[in-house]
Amino acid sequence: MNSLEEKLKKIHVSCIQHKLTIATAESCTGGYISKLITDQSYSSQYYKGSIIAYSNEIKSDIVIILI
């Protein structure tokens, strides 16, 4: 397991234990973080989803509005 996967596993355990929720906004990762999160069993208990905005147009037009 690489260090990113190890960190995500700690987040996974902490979110379940403390009943926390998270969401992500990704760009150059192209959804890779979302994939790693949802590879974990029971991630639906805390993971709300992701916006993948690769182009600058989408980032400025949509993601900024959502933040």
Side-chain angles (χ1 to χ4, degrees), residues 1-10 32-33 35-37 39-40:
M1 187 180 302
N2 67 40
S3 65
L4 176 58
E5 290 169 332
E6 290 170 1
K7 289 175 185 175
L8 287 172
K9 182 66 175 176
K10 289 179 183 179
Y32 182 64
I33 294 170
K35 181 222 179 296
L36 292 176
I37 291 171
D39 281 350
Q40 300 293 317

Side-chain angles (χ1 to χ4, degrees), residues 18-67:
H18 301 289
K19 298 183 186 335
L20 302 171
T21 60
I22 60 173
T24 57
E26 300 182 62
S27 180
C28 61
T29 56
Y32 182 64
I33 294 170
S34 300
K35 181 222 179 296
L36 292 176
I37 291 171
T38 57
D39 281 350
Q40 300 293 317
S41 298
Y42 307 108
S43 60
S44 62
Q45 291 182 11
Y46 63 89
Y47 187 59
K48 297 296 184 180
S50 179
I51 294 172
I52 301 166
Y54 197 72
S55 76
N56 287 332
E57 177 185 15
I58 296 295
K59 285 185 242 182
S60 63
D61 291 351
I62 295 176
V63 175
I64 303 260
I65 292 169
L66 296 173
I67 296 172

